[in-house]
Amino acid sequence: MRLAIISDIHGNLEAFTEVLRDIDASGIDEIFCLGDNVGYGPDPEHVVGIMRERAIPCVMGNHELGIVDPLSLDWFNPVARRSLVLTGRLISAETLEYMRGLNTFMVKEGCLFVHGAPPASISTYLFELTHSQLFQLARTMQQDLCFVGHTHDLGYIRLDEEESSPMVLSEGIFPLAADCKYIVNVGSVGQPRDGDNRAKYVVWDTTAGTIEVKFVRYDIATTVEKILRLGLPSVNARRLW
Ligand code: ZN
């Protein structure tokens, strides 16, 4: 089976649409999403609409949490907070209800999906975990593979009894070793922060035991124009270039 894993679309309809086009042309059996469908970008309602229409299984991100639980807004930096307050005005009651229903993690195909870090953290950044916390995860994580988003940086950590090795991922295919556990960060569709302005997602081939990293070009100018027109923080637009 070939499964596409996407994350951190952040209301970027142009990036999401191009990624879906790429997925639809790549013989993918199912799509899974790691949350943060909204925040920063101009099209939260439309992005969630497509997500629901295509019935893409999705977990909750910290930006969904910021919308459904306003008390959690304190956790965000001023730019993200301002974006979320505006995002709240751009979504319908149905979208809000949909977000409330998202779980903090899901297990599919024997694999764990979570926004921040295993086993079920929405807000922990992978880089915050110490060596000993990673060893603990290697011992307790029931699945051999976990996909996360949240940092907007592609990479993976291989967990075994002796070491945990964080690695950066770039475009291409890499094999998963059979005797190791992995946490794979799939990067961001709609708000990349890795110095390359293309949308990112990964394809997990469960039969071949490989992860393929995909970079997709999209119409950045249109997204930027919408962000500025709506009065979202201009840094949200600048970041996309
Ligand atoms: Zn995010």
Side-chain angles (χ1 to χ4, degrees):
M1 270 220 288
R2 284 166 57 77
L3 308 173
I5 298 105
I6 57 177
S7 189
D8 294 87
I9 300 163
H10 284 295
N12 186 334
L13 180 64
E14 288 70 33
F16 187 30
T17 306
E18 282 308 321
V19 162
L20 286 176
R21 209 191 304 274
D22 197 69
I23 286 173
D24 291 340
S26 304
I28 299 297
D29 296 292
E30 202 171 351
I31 309 171
F32 297 117
C33 177
L34 299 170
D36 275 10
N37 298 324
V38 304
Y40 300 125
D43 286 302
E45 179 69 14
H46 205 143
V47 166
V48 172
I50 295 172
M51 199 69 72
R52 296 176 64 196
E53 221 173 82
R54 295 190 55 147
I56 298 171
C58 187
V59 294
M60 186 181 282
N62 55 308
H63 284 250
E64 277 88 15
L65 185 65
I67 298 274
V68 303
D69 175 14
L71 287 178
S72 70
L73 274 179
D74 288 347
W75 182 87
F76 291 89
N77 67 53
V79 167
R81 203 180 310 141
R82 204 147 67 79
S83 306
L84 277 175
V85 170
L86 224 158
T87 299
R89 297 185 201 135
L90 296 173
I91 58 167
S92 64
E94 292 79 44
T95 289
L96 184 63
E97 213 37 50
Y98 162 84
M99 289 188 202
R100 281 210 182 96
L102 294 174
N103 290 320
T104 55
F105 73 95
M106 61 187 173
V107 176
K108 303 271 183 190
E109 306 300 327
C111 168
L112 179 64
F113 297 82
V114 58
H115 184 67
S121 175
I122 293 179
S123 56
T124 304
Y125 290 100
L126 212 47
F127 57 73
E128 290 174 334
L129 298 176
T130 63
H131 262 300
S132 64
Q133 285 170 319
L134 286 168
F135 286 137
Q136 184 62 15
L137 275 180
R139 274 193 294 272
T140 55
M141 202 167 85
Q142 283 167 20
Q143 301 78 13
D144 288 339
L145 184 56
C146 170
F147 288 101
V148 302
H150 196 32
T151 69
H152 300 206
D153 269 326
L154 280 160
Y156 70 90
I157 297 176
R158 208 179 79 177
L159 304 165
D160 54 44
E161 290 302 318
E162 280 91 47
E163 55 172 350
S164 62
S165 24
M167 302 288 287
V168 173
L169 274 177
S170 54
E171 215 171 353
I173 299 178
F174 84 94
L176 298 165
D179 51 348
C180 287
K181 293 187 175 186
Y182 288 89
I183 303 173
V184 177
N185 191 320
V186 306
S188 170
V189 169
Q191 182 80 219
R193 291 181 196 158
D194 55 355
D196 180 304
N197 62 15
R198 289 172 288 176
K200 319 291 184 325
Y201 77 98
V202 310
V203 176
W204 172 32
D205 188 320
T206 61
T207 317
T210 56
I211 301 287
E212 180 178 5
V213 180
K214 308 266 272 179
F215 286 29
V216 179
R217 284 191 198 289
Y218 72 96
D219 179 7
I220 298 175
T222 296
T223 316
V224 161
E225 197 264 320
K226 287 186 197 170
I227 288 173
L228 299 176
R229 184 155 35 92
L230 280 170
L232 283 155
S234 58
V235 62
N236 298 0
R238 277 202 305 280
R239 250 186 198 155
L240 297 181
W241 295 114

